[in-house]
Amino acid sequence: MTRRAVALGLIGLVWSAARLGAQTGTGTITGHVADSVTGRPVVAVRLSVVGTDRAAVSAEDGGFMLAAVPAGTQRVRASRIGFSAREETVAVTAGESVTLNFAIQPIAVTLSDVVVVGYGTQRRADLTGAVASVSAQDLRKTAVASLEQGLEGRVAGVQVTQGDAAPGAGIRVQIRGVNSMNAGSAQPLYVIDGVPWVNSGVSKRRLGAVSEENLSSLTETNPLSAIAPEDIESIDILKDASATAIYGSRGANGVVLVTTKNGDRASGGRYTLSYSQGSSTVVREIPVLNAYDFATYVNTAFLNAYGPATQYPYGGRPGSLTPDSIRKVMGAGTDWQAQIFRHSLVRDVTLGFSGGDARGSLLDQGGVIRGSEFKRGGLRVNVDRDVSHAFRITSNVAVNRSFNDMVRSSTINGYRSIGIVRQALTYVPMQYVDSSRLSNDPRAEDPTVWSQYGANPLRYTDQVHEGDQVTRGIGGLRGLATLGRGFSLDFNIGANYERRSYDTYFPRTVNEGFSAGGDAVQAGSEFGSLLSENLVRYSRDFGSRHRIDAVGGFTYETNKSTWNSQEVQGFPDDLLGDRVLQNGTNPQKPQSGTARWVLASWLGRVNYSLLDRYLFTATIRADGSSKFAANNKWAAFPALAFAWRAIDEPALKGQTLFSDLKLRLSYGKSGNQAIGAYQSLPAISGATLTLNEVVVPAYVVTQLGNPNLRWETTSQYNVGLDVGAWHNRVTGSVDVYRKNTYDLLQQITLPAAPGGLTWSIGLNAAKNRNRIESLGPVAQQFAGRLGAGGGLEATPFIQKPGLSIGAMWGYKTNGIVRTPADSVAQSTLQGKAVRVGDLRYVDTNGDGKIDPADQTVIGDATPAWVCSVNNRLSFGKFDLTALFSVVLGNSIINADRIRYLSLNGSMNVPREYVTNAFDPRTNPNGKYPMIRQDRQYDARFNDMFIEDGSYVRLQNLQLGYNLSLPRARSARLYVNAINLVTWTRYTGFDPEVSAFGGPDRPGVDQGSYPQSRLISVGMNTTF
């Protein structure tokens, strides 16, 4: 004990001596920091003595004290986000105190200063992960209608595909390529003001007709269309695992953090009004055969198949009209594209009051196909109040209502119910020879035409009703308590609510309702989610060398979804449609369902900064989900990251070339739990069974249990470099990453056994490649078929280890059979009669025959490159923005070509296919098969059905002018153009298409709603 006491005494003496020595020759700096504009004190300003470890933070009154500052001339730096940093020189005398005051200039807080990350914010200079941002100014310069459109072409590695361009339709967003084959997990996680945006997962197909599933259209209302872009202050995209790991099981596909606009109480009441109005038109129309050319084409098909003695339909049969007579009587006939396409009006209004934190918005977006329209109205209230100096409360609540009147633009049916867009291209261009028949009903068609081609497109635009109404609410209440010594508590309660009603009616004048005597569906769904978050935060500077920011806590989320659907047929007439279901005489079996699931999480993150240039981040989140099996309900998702701000190294202080230089390294894991509830459990469903000629109720097994069902996990390495040159006039980031997803959540097909001119240019470019590593016990399998009938039974998307998600599987062709000798050779090879004018197939494996073993990869929907170029010019009060989107190296399945290339005269086709059809006499160099009435759809899915989907698009062009108006703080008038021009070789309406939306069947054109060109004039004012 004596020795220990002596030792402790010696240590105390040494420490006291050290303290006394350290204080020798030092002084104190005191002062205040004020706003140079208002003169008010500024709190939380960081004061540091340059070249030493002495630092302090200003208090509520702006006061500060820097103790133990070495004597002599010192430079003191004052910095805070939202203000220009300033340095002052002061002479420090040993043992004395000197006063130094700062007046710092406020500046606009831009996304280059601070970004939103998971459960907090960070200075961009301190980021260790891959985070990109889109500002409110970027959204205003493009006048987009939805949140996802605001991301298009602005962030490297983010691909936005509007698979169906109907107003309010779904949009597919991919961050750094495809991670999963599970359609439900393809989208990133959206977090709105700290509350995850959760969907019910109830699709329109589930709510639609159960009697004929193949008649369901593929157009879905976009749930995020409820958010008005004008309400958005900023969008931050978390791309690498270091940034997304804090969201654990939902971060594998990336995270999109949306911050909406808050009121500015300090500035008093401020009114903002934004209004725009424009007109949209279809970007292009596809030239098809007119009445005369169609009649000639049909006759040619009969003559080539059966010879000159055949009674061809137009002029070859008694009483029939010749093509010349048809031209004389009907002229060009009916142009169905001109009939269904229109100029549509688009209006967008937003009114905000910043002092009261409230905003309201209205959008009325007419579609370029008659009968389609999307309307949205919403109210948002954001409140941010300091209850006391130690407690702050914020609230963000938004309620939106949308109405979507849809048309059947894209379907999976290959016969007469093919959807309005394909129908406009293939329907016979002759409605009635006797045009007087159209005076009573302009939609009437000749009975013989109806029997062969079904109802004409106008029946679907004017008489088929399909409506989708969604009421959506999202919000949160947050309390922040400051405890002192760098600690604070953060409590958050968030909620999602969605109520959806869907109704449709097919009258007896269309194929879908003809045999049923009218077919009506009324359906609805309701979804609710409640989230509780309890977080502890710690933030502290240790001198000027060390800084720690940490957050940790527990979150709990509960969800419930219910849905029901009722279909009725057999109506006495079509007058009331689906509004009075009891008028129908043939009700179908009702459908309903419910699901509950829970997600509990522990999370933590620590950011450590050494000398403001060596940055470390460690993150972990443990999630527990009720969706998984008993032994696999919990999983942990860790991440580590390091960044080196080389620009702050003393060796680079004197150079003038670089203004920013930072190296980033990271590794982490994130997960995916986007499957339905109860997937790990065995399931049975009700059915009927006939026993002894009596129908009795029964149960059948519809799902096998999976006691080992576990999380889908994505691990990711990332190396990044951020560079700025010439005072950040040129900036750029380069990221190289590798992602590996394992324990895929995928249905497996089991075997049979069980002032002056300024100009800035921004360039984004991303190259993504994905590869399937393993499917477990399955060697290969195929995603769902393209549809039913008309050759759409094909399943071209293969899922096989070594290939990418999106690989297209089929036969290779090599032109047209042009000679009798080639006909004999191909007949032997194909094992059937092959005629001159048919397709030539390639024997890829060289075994002397064409069979399934010759199938190979014939396309890939994954682009080789996704790029964008954003130009911004300003001169005086004028500004010009031009955004170009570039997609290169992707394939598109043009499903219509399956029908077009039959060239058998059974329907109308684009003019190109007839003009370029092979004919030994008139067109021996034709690239398409010979026109023949006896040719059927080719059962072999081949590369003729695939096209290059590359394109360059002038996505947005806006010219603005800043006005000077009495009593207005700001005013800006602009002209905006969206989808102005597209350069592409794709022969369909538009290369930006993906009918099925999910990652398992990407890049398919099933007659999707075509893109429109919108020209609008608008004005933004603030009073």
Side-chain angles (χ1 to χ4, degrees), residues 468-511:
D468 197 6
Q469 300 180 20
V470 179
T471 301
R472 181 84 197 203
I474 183 172
L477 179 65
R478 182 184 181 194
L480 299 96
T482 302
L483 305 180
R485 295 183 178 272
F487 287 96
S488 62
L489 297 180
D490 192 338
F491 311 96
N492 184 30
I493 297 177
N496 281 265
Y497 176 79
E498 178 188 276
R499 184 175 181 86
R500 182 180 185 184
S501 62
Y502 170 78
D503 57 289
T504 186
Y505 183 75
F506 298 107
R508 63 196 75 241
T509 54
V510 300
N511 183 63

Short mmCIF file of all heavy atoms in Angstrom, two decimals, residues 468-511:
data_model
loop_
_atom_site.label_atom_id
_atom_site.label_comp_id
_atom_site.label_asym_id
_atom_site.label_seq_id
_atom_site.Cartn_x
_atom_site.Cartn_y
_atom_site.Cartn_z
N ASP A 468 -58.84 4.20 -60.69
CA ASP A 468 -58.04 3.86 -59.52
C ASP A 468 -57.94 5.12 -58.65
O ASP A 468 -57.40 6.13 -59.08
CB ASP A 468 -56.65 3.39 -59.95
CG ASP A 468 -55.91 2.64 -58.86
OD1 ASP A 468 -56.52 2.40 -57.80
OD2 ASP A 468 -54.74 2.29 -59.06
N GLN A 469 -58.50 5.04 -57.44
CA GLN A 469 -58.48 6.18 -56.53
C GLN A 469 -57.65 5.81 -55.29
O GLN A 469 -57.85 4.74 -54.71
CB GLN A 469 -59.89 6.57 -56.09
CG GLN A 469 -60.80 6.96 -57.24
CD GLN A 469 -62.19 7.33 -56.77
OE1 GLN A 469 -62.38 7.66 -55.61
NE2 GLN A 469 -63.16 7.28 -57.67
N VAL A 470 -56.74 6.70 -54.91
CA VAL A 470 -55.86 6.42 -53.78
C VAL A 470 -55.87 7.62 -52.84
O VAL A 470 -55.65 8.76 -53.27
CB VAL A 470 -54.41 6.15 -54.26
CG1 VAL A 470 -53.51 5.89 -53.06
CG2 VAL A 470 -54.37 4.96 -55.22
N THR A 471 -56.12 7.34 -51.58
CA THR A 471 -55.98 8.34 -50.52
C THR A 471 -54.77 7.94 -49.69
O THR A 471 -54.69 6.82 -49.18
CB THR A 471 -57.23 8.41 -49.63
OG1 THR A 471 -58.36 8.73 -50.44
CG2 THR A 471 -57.06 9.47 -48.56
N ARG A 472 -53.83 8.87 -49.56
CA ARG A 472 -52.56 8.54 -48.93
C ARG A 472 -52.20 9.55 -47.86
O ARG A 472 -52.36 10.76 -48.07
CB ARG A 472 -51.46 8.52 -50.00
CG ARG A 472 -50.08 8.16 -49.47
CD ARG A 472 -49.89 6.67 -49.38
NE ARG A 472 -48.77 6.31 -48.53
CZ ARG A 472 -48.12 5.17 -48.62
NH1 ARG A 472 -48.45 4.29 -49.53
NH2 ARG A 472 -47.15 4.88 -47.79
N GLY A 473 -51.75 9.06 -46.73
CA GLY A 473 -51.27 9.94 -45.67
C GLY A 473 -49.94 9.44 -45.14
O GLY A 473 -49.73 8.23 -44.99
N ILE A 474 -49.03 10.34 -44.87
CA ILE A 474 -47.74 10.00 -44.28
C ILE A 474 -47.32 11.15 -43.39
O ILE A 474 -47.55 12.32 -43.71
CB ILE A 474 -46.67 9.71 -45.35
CG1 ILE A 474 -45.36 9.27 -44.70
CG2 ILE A 474 -46.45 10.91 -46.26
CD1 ILE A 474 -44.30 8.77 -45.69
N GLY A 475 -46.75 10.81 -42.25
CA GLY A 475 -46.34 11.88 -41.36
C GLY A 475 -45.60 11.37 -40.15
O GLY A 475 -45.50 10.16 -39.92
N GLY A 476 -45.07 12.32 -39.39
CA GLY A 476 -44.32 11.95 -38.21
C GLY A 476 -44.30 13.08 -37.20
O GLY A 476 -44.44 14.26 -37.56
N LEU A 477 -44.14 12.71 -35.94
CA LEU A 477 -43.99 13.66 -34.84
C LEU A 477 -42.67 13.35 -34.16
O LEU A 477 -42.43 12.21 -33.73
CB LEU A 477 -45.15 13.54 -33.85
CG LEU A 477 -45.09 14.47 -32.63
CD1 LEU A 477 -45.19 15.92 -33.07
CD2 LEU A 477 -46.21 14.12 -31.65
N ARG A 478 -41.83 14.36 -34.04
CA ARG A 478 -40.47 14.15 -33.56
C ARG A 478 -40.15 15.12 -32.43
O ARG A 478 -40.46 16.31 -32.53
CB ARG A 478 -39.48 14.33 -34.71
CG ARG A 478 -38.02 14.08 -34.34
CD ARG A 478 -37.14 14.40 -35.53
NE ARG A 478 -35.73 14.16 -35.26
CZ ARG A 478 -34.75 14.59 -36.03
NH1 ARG A 478 -35.02 15.30 -37.13
NH2 ARG A 478 -33.49 14.35 -35.72
N GLY A 479 -39.55 14.60 -31.38
CA GLY A 479 -39.09 15.44 -30.29
C GLY A 479 -37.60 15.28 -30.09
O GLY A 479 -37.07 14.16 -30.10
N LEU A 480 -36.89 16.41 -29.90
CA LEU A 480 -35.44 16.39 -29.71
C LEU A 480 -35.12 17.11 -28.41
O LEU A 480 -35.44 18.29 -28.24
CB LEU A 480 -34.71 17.07 -30.88
CG LEU A 480 -34.92 16.45 -32.26
CD1 LEU A 480 -36.04 17.21 -32.99
CD2 LEU A 480 -33.65 16.53 -33.08
N ALA A 481 -34.49 16.37 -27.50
CA ALA A 481 -34.13 16.93 -26.20
C ALA A 481 -32.63 17.00 -26.06
O ALA A 481 -31.93 15.99 -26.22
CB ALA A 481 -34.72 16.07 -25.08
N THR A 482 -32.10 18.19 -25.77
CA THR A 482 -30.67 18.38 -25.57
C THR A 482 -30.34 18.16 -24.10
O THR A 482 -30.91 18.81 -23.21
CB THR A 482 -30.25 19.79 -25.99
OG1 THR A 482 -30.60 19.99 -27.37
CG2 THR A 482 -28.75 19.99 -25.82
N LEU A 483 -29.42 17.23 -23.80
CA LEU A 483 -29.09 16.86 -22.44
C LEU A 483 -27.82 17.52 -21.93
O LEU A 483 -27.56 17.51 -20.73
CB LEU A 483 -28.94 15.33 -22.33
CG LEU A 483 -30.15 14.51 -22.80
CD1 LEU A 483 -29.85 13.03 -22.62
CD2 LEU A 483 -31.40 14.90 -22.03
N GLY A 484 -27.03 18.06 -22.83
CA GLY A 484 -25.76 18.65 -22.44
C GLY A 484 -24.62 17.66 -22.59
O GLY A 484 -24.81 16.46 -22.75
N ARG A 485 -23.39 18.20 -22.57
CA ARG A 485 -22.17 17.41 -22.74
C ARG A 485 -22.19 16.61 -24.04
O ARG A 485 -21.63 15.53 -24.13
CB ARG A 485 -21.95 16.47 -21.56
CG ARG A 485 -21.70 17.18 -20.24
CD ARG A 485 -21.42 16.19 -19.13
NE ARG A 485 -21.13 16.89 -17.89
CZ ARG A 485 -19.94 17.32 -17.49
NH1 ARG A 485 -18.90 17.12 -18.29
NH2 ARG A 485 -19.77 17.94 -16.34
N GLY A 486 -22.87 17.14 -25.06
CA GLY A 486 -22.89 16.50 -26.37
C GLY A 486 -23.98 15.47 -26.57
O GLY A 486 -24.13 14.94 -27.68
N PHE A 487 -24.78 15.16 -25.53
CA PHE A 487 -25.81 14.14 -25.64
C PHE A 487 -27.16 14.77 -25.95
O PHE A 487 -27.48 15.88 -25.50
CB PHE A 487 -25.92 13.34 -24.34
CG PHE A 487 -24.79 12.38 -24.11
CD1 PHE A 487 -23.70 12.74 -23.31
CD2 PHE A 487 -24.80 11.13 -24.71
CE1 PHE A 487 -22.65 11.86 -23.10
CE2 PHE A 487 -23.75 10.25 -24.50
CZ PHE A 487 -22.68 10.61 -23.70
N SER A 488 -27.97 14.04 -26.71
CA SER A 488 -29.35 14.44 -26.99
C SER A 488 -30.19 13.19 -27.23
O SER A 488 -29.67 12.13 -27.59
CB SER A 488 -29.43 15.37 -28.20
OG SER A 488 -28.98 14.72 -29.37
N LEU A 489 -31.48 13.34 -27.01
CA LEU A 489 -32.44 12.26 -27.24
C LEU A 489 -33.34 12.63 -28.40
O LEU A 489 -33.72 13.80 -28.56
CB LEU A 489 -33.28 12.00 -25.99
CG LEU A 489 -32.54 11.53 -24.73
CD1 LEU A 489 -33.53 11.32 -23.59
CD2 LEU A 489 -31.78 10.24 -25.01
N ASP A 490 -33.70 11.63 -29.20
CA ASP A 490 -34.52 11.85 -30.40
C ASP A 490 -35.64 10.82 -30.39
O ASP A 490 -35.39 9.61 -30.47
CB ASP A 490 -33.65 11.70 -31.65
CG ASP A 490 -34.35 12.18 -32.91
OD1 ASP A 490 -35.58 12.23 -32.92
OD2 ASP A 490 -33.64 12.46 -33.89
N PHE A 491 -36.89 11.29 -30.26
CA PHE A 491 -38.04 10.41 -30.27
C PHE A 491 -38.86 10.70 -31.52
O PHE A 491 -39.13 11.86 -31.85
CB PHE A 491 -38.92 10.63 -29.04
CG PHE A 491 -38.16 10.64 -27.74
CD1 PHE A 491 -37.75 11.84 -27.16
CD2 PHE A 491 -37.84 9.46 -27.09
CE1 PHE A 491 -37.05 11.85 -25.99
CE2 PHE A 491 -37.14 9.46 -25.90
CZ PHE A 491 -36.74 10.66 -25.35
N ASN A 492 -39.27 9.65 -32.22
CA ASN A 492 -39.99 9.84 -33.48
C ASN A 492 -41.10 8.81 -33.60
O ASN A 492 -40.90 7.62 -33.36
CB ASN A 492 -39.03 9.70 -34.67
CG ASN A 492 -39.71 10.00 -35.99
OD1 ASN A 492 -40.65 10.79 -36.04
ND2 ASN A 492 -39.26 9.36 -37.05
N ILE A 493 -42.29 9.29 -33.91
CA ILE A 493 -43.43 8.42 -34.23
C ILE A 493 -43.86 8.74 -35.65
O ILE A 493 -44.16 9.90 -35.97
CB ILE A 493 -44.60 8.62 -33.25
CG1 ILE A 493 -44.18 8.24 -31.83
CG2 ILE A 493 -45.80 7.80 -33.69
CD1 ILE A 493 -45.26 8.49 -30.80
N GLY A 494 -43.84 7.74 -36.51
CA GLY A 494 -44.23 7.94 -37.91
C GLY A 494 -45.33 6.99 -38.32
O GLY A 494 -45.52 5.92 -37.72
N ALA A 495 -46.07 7.38 -39.35
CA ALA A 495 -47.20 6.55 -39.79
C ALA A 495 -47.38 6.67 -41.29
O ALA A 495 -47.12 7.72 -41.89
CB ALA A 495 -48.48 6.95 -39.07
N ASN A 496 -47.82 5.57 -41.91
CA ASN A 496 -48.25 5.53 -43.30
C ASN A 496 -49.69 5.02 -43.34
O ASN A 496 -50.04 4.09 -42.61
CB ASN A 496 -47.39 4.55 -44.11
CG ASN A 496 -46.06 5.13 -44.51
OD1 ASN A 496 -45.90 5.67 -45.59
ND2 ASN A 496 -45.07 5.03 -43.62
N TYR A 497 -50.49 5.61 -44.20
CA TYR A 497 -51.86 5.12 -44.39
C TYR A 497 -52.21 5.21 -45.87
O TYR A 497 -51.91 6.22 -46.52
CB TYR A 497 -52.87 5.91 -43.57
CG TYR A 497 -54.31 5.49 -43.81
CD1 TYR A 497 -54.82 4.34 -43.20
CD2 TYR A 497 -55.13 6.20 -44.68
CE1 TYR A 497 -56.12 3.93 -43.42
CE2 TYR A 497 -56.43 5.79 -44.91
CZ TYR A 497 -56.93 4.66 -44.29
OH TYR A 497 -58.21 4.25 -44.54
N GLU A 498 -52.82 4.15 -46.39
CA GLU A 498 -53.24 4.16 -47.79
C GLU A 498 -54.59 3.45 -47.91
O GLU A 498 -54.77 2.34 -47.41
CB GLU A 498 -52.22 3.44 -48.66
CG GLU A 498 -52.61 3.37 -50.13
CD GLU A 498 -51.67 2.50 -50.93
OE1 GLU A 498 -50.62 3.01 -51.36
OE2 GLU A 498 -51.98 1.30 -51.12
N ARG A 499 -55.52 4.11 -48.56
CA ARG A 499 -56.81 3.51 -48.88
C ARG A 499 -57.01 3.61 -50.39
O ARG A 499 -56.90 4.70 -50.96
CB ARG A 499 -57.95 4.19 -48.14
CG ARG A 499 -59.30 3.51 -48.37
CD ARG A 499 -60.40 4.14 -47.51
NE ARG A 499 -61.67 3.47 -47.72
CZ ARG A 499 -62.06 2.38 -47.06
NH1 ARG A 499 -61.25 1.84 -46.16
NH2 ARG A 499 -63.23 1.83 -47.30
N ARG A 500 -57.28 2.48 -51.01
CA ARG A 500 -57.34 2.42 -52.46
C ARG A 500 -58.65 1.77 -52.90
O ARG A 500 -59.07 0.76 -52.32
CB ARG A 500 -56.16 1.61 -52.98
CG ARG A 500 -56.07 1.50 -54.49
CD ARG A 500 -54.85 0.66 -54.86
NE ARG A 500 -54.63 0.61 -56.29
CZ ARG A 500 -53.68 -0.11 -56.87
NH1 ARG A 500 -52.86 -0.84 -56.13
NH2 ARG A 500 -53.53 -0.12 -58.18
N SER A 501 -59.27 2.34 -53.91
CA SER A 501 -60.46 1.72 -54.50
C SER A 501 -60.25 1.62 -56.01
O SER A 501 -59.78 2.56 -56.65
CB SER A 501 -61.72 2.55 -54.19
OG SER A 501 -61.63 3.85 -54.73
N TYR A 502 -60.56 0.47 -56.53
CA TYR A 502 -60.36 0.19 -57.95
C TYR A 502 -61.67 -0.34 -58.52
O TYR A 502 -62.34 -1.19 -57.93
CB TYR A 502 -59.26 -0.86 -58.12
CG TYR A 502 -59.12 -1.40 -59.52
CD1 TYR A 502 -58.47 -0.66 -60.51
CD2 TYR A 502 -59.65 -2.64 -59.86
CE1 TYR A 502 -58.36 -1.14 -61.80
CE2 TYR A 502 -59.53 -3.14 -61.15
CZ TYR A 502 -58.88 -2.38 -62.11
OH TYR A 502 -58.77 -2.86 -63.40
N ASP A 503 -62.06 0.19 -59.67
CA ASP A 503 -63.29 -0.29 -60.31
C ASP A 503 -63.13 -0.25 -61.83
O ASP A 503 -62.44 0.62 -62.37
CB ASP A 503 -64.51 0.55 -59.90
CG ASP A 503 -64.33 2.03 -60.21
OD1 ASP A 503 -63.51 2.67 -59.53
OD2 ASP A 503 -64.98 2.53 -61.13
N THR A 504 -63.73 -1.21 -62.48
CA THR A 504 -63.64 -1.29 -63.93
C THR A 504 -64.91 -1.93 -64.49
O THR A 504 -65.60 -2.69 -63.79
CB THR A 504 -62.40 -2.09 -64.37
OG1 THR A 504 -62.26 -2.03 -65.78
CG2 THR A 504 -62.52 -3.54 -63.95
N TYR A 505 -65.22 -1.59 -65.73
CA TYR A 505 -66.38 -2.19 -66.39
C TYR A 505 -66.07 -2.39 -67.87
O TYR A 505 -65.61 -1.47 -68.56
CB TYR A 505 -67.62 -1.32 -66.25
CG TYR A 505 -68.85 -1.97 -66.86
CD1 TYR A 505 -69.48 -3.02 -66.20
CD2 TYR A 505 -69.36 -1.55 -68.09
CE1 TYR A 505 -70.59 -3.65 -66.75
CE2 TYR A 505 -70.46 -2.17 -68.64
CZ TYR A 505 -71.07 -3.21 -67.98
OH TYR A 505 -72.16 -3.84 -68.53
N PHE A 506 -66.30 -3.64 -68.35
CA PHE A 506 -66.17 -3.97 -69.76
C PHE A 506 -67.57 -4.16 -70.33
O PHE A 506 -68.27 -5.12 -69.95
CB PHE A 506 -65.36 -5.25 -69.94
CG PHE A 506 -63.96 -5.16 -69.42
CD1 PHE A 506 -63.58 -5.81 -68.26
CD2 PHE A 506 -63.00 -4.42 -70.10
CE1 PHE A 506 -62.30 -5.73 -67.78
CE2 PHE A 506 -61.71 -4.33 -69.62
CZ PHE A 506 -61.35 -4.98 -68.46
N PRO A 507 -68.02 -3.28 -71.23
CA PRO A 507 -69.36 -3.45 -71.81
C PRO A 507 -69.39 -4.60 -72.81
O PRO A 507 -68.35 -5.13 -73.21
CB PRO A 507 -69.60 -2.09 -72.49
CG PRO A 507 -68.22 -1.61 -72.84
CD PRO A 507 -67.33 -2.09 -71.75
N ARG A 508 -70.56 -4.95 -73.23
CA ARG A 508 -70.72 -6.07 -74.16
C ARG A 508 -70.25 -5.71 -75.57
O ARG A 508 -70.21 -6.57 -76.45
CB ARG A 508 -72.18 -6.53 -74.19
CG ARG A 508 -73.14 -5.48 -74.68
CD ARG A 508 -74.59 -5.84 -74.32
NE ARG A 508 -74.84 -5.61 -72.90
CZ ARG A 508 -75.20 -6.56 -72.04
NH1 ARG A 508 -75.38 -7.79 -72.47
NH2 ARG A 508 -75.41 -6.28 -70.78
N THR A 509 -69.87 -4.44 -75.79
CA THR A 509 -69.39 -4.02 -77.11
C THR A 509 -67.91 -4.34 -77.32
O THR A 509 -67.39 -4.12 -78.41
CB THR A 509 -69.60 -2.52 -77.30
OG1 THR A 509 -68.99 -1.82 -76.21
CG2 THR A 509 -71.08 -2.17 -77.35
N VAL A 510 -67.21 -4.84 -76.29
CA VAL A 510 -65.81 -5.22 -76.42
C VAL A 510 -65.68 -6.70 -76.11
O VAL A 510 -66.55 -7.32 -75.48
CB VAL A 510 -64.89 -4.38 -75.50
CG1 VAL A 510 -64.99 -2.90 -75.83
CG2 VAL A 510 -65.21 -4.61 -74.04
N ASN A 511 -64.58 -7.27 -76.54
CA ASN A 511 -64.38 -8.70 -76.42
C ASN A 511 -64.46 -9.18 -74.97
O ASN A 511 -65.03 -10.22 -74.66
CB ASN A 511 -63.01 -9.08 -77.01
CG ASN A 511 -62.76 -10.56 -76.98
OD1 ASN A 511 -63.47 -11.33 -77.63
ND2 ASN A 511 -61.75 -10.98 -76.23
#
